Amino acid sequence: MPDDNKPTLSAEEILTAEFEYIAHTASQANDDRSSVVSFFIIAVGTPLAAFFSTDRANVPDPTANVLFTGLFLILAVLGTATILQLARLRGAWYESMLAMNHMKEFLIKNSDADISGAFRWSFSTAPARFKPNSVSFYQALEVAILSGLLFGAFAFFLLYSLRMQNASAIWLISALLGMVFAGFQITIYRQLLK
């Protein structure tokens, strides 16, 4: 005797629910990338506004330099954390895209009609995990450049508080370290997406 109270699910209902879940996770990863970059900009902008509005004439020079050294180091590290988050979110979007392609391949194989022409992306035509010409990469590049500037400012105040005498050398070393730091962050982003 069959149990009439048993819920039944069709394969179509399950596939539809799975499709909607995958689409939602891909969309959420994109939204989260924008939120992460916005948070970084705000998190960096607020202390920088305080820095530029500080009346440094009333703050003892050694104390101010140590505080600014710490501030800029923390902000540069925050940039690195943001790069890691952006890489992870791009990876999450990519996994959702692969899941969607897997579902499309299943539907193509199990459909009576030839629906393969309805899909732009397949496993062979999908975008790369690391794609230099993407909004995701440009967001990471923006964060890396800002982080490089912050790291350069950290180096500047560190060298200045160590009483390095040659101002040109302080600026040059700070600029080089900032560029190296920005390049390091892009390298991290790229390596995490290979």
Side-chain angles (χ1 to χ4, degrees):
M1 177 166 164
D3 185 4
D4 292 336
N5 294 329
K6 234 181 182 180
T8 59
L9 288 173
S10 70
E12 287 178 12
E13 290 173 319
I14 293 171
L15 286 173
T16 300
E18 181 70 9
F19 180 86
E20 289 172 359
Y21 173 75
I22 293 168
H24 178 72
T25 59
S27 175
Q28 190 64 48
N30 279 335
D31 291 346
D32 288 349
R33 284 196 308 238
S34 296
S35 298
V36 164
V37 172
S38 295
F39 174 76
F40 175 71
I41 301 288
I42 291 168
V44 166
T46 304
L48 284 180
F51 166 76
F52 286 116
S53 65
T54 300
D55 182 13
R56 289 184 278 287
N58 294 330
V59 180
D61 197 37
T63 303
N65 290 334
V66 170
L67 290 174
F68 293 143
T69 299
L71 171 68
F72 287 117
L73 178 61
I74 289 168
L75 293 176
V77 169
L78 180 62
T80 303
T82 303
I83 289 288
L84 296 173
Q85 290 173 357
L86 287 173
R88 183 59 199 111
L89 288 168
R90 172 70 180 191
W93 171 85
Y94 188 80
E95 291 298 320
S96 294
M97 187 263 311
L98 288 179
M100 187 75 72
N101 284 340
H102 181 77
M103 181 174 277
K104 289 187 288 189
E105 293 288 326
F106 175 82
L107 291 173
I108 289 168
K109 287 179 186 172
N110 292 292
S111 176
D112 293 334
D114 181 16
I115 60 172
S116 61
F119 302 114
R120 167 106 169 114
W121 287 347
S122 66
F123 285 115
S124 62
T125 61
R129 190 178 197 103
F130 173 75
K131 185 179 175 190
N133 190 18
S134 68
V135 172
S136 178
F137 176 74
Y138 294 141
Q139 289 174 325
L141 186 61
E142 176 184 357
V143 170
I145 290 169
L146 285 172
S147 296
L149 289 170
L150 293 166
F151 193 80
F154 155 73
F156 176 85
F157 282 104
L158 178 65
L159 294 171
Y160 190 75
S161 59
L162 293 174
R163 307 228 189 280
M164 188 173 187
Q165 299 300 317
N166 188 340
S168 297
I170 290 175
W171 281 102
L172 181 63
I173 291 169
S174 299
L176 288 174
L177 288 175
M179 286 188 277
V180 168
F181 192 75
F184 172 70
Q185 290 196 324
I186 291 299
T187 301
I188 289 172
Y189 179 80
R190 186 177 189 160
Q191 290 299 321
L192 289 173
L193 292 175
K194 284 201 169 194

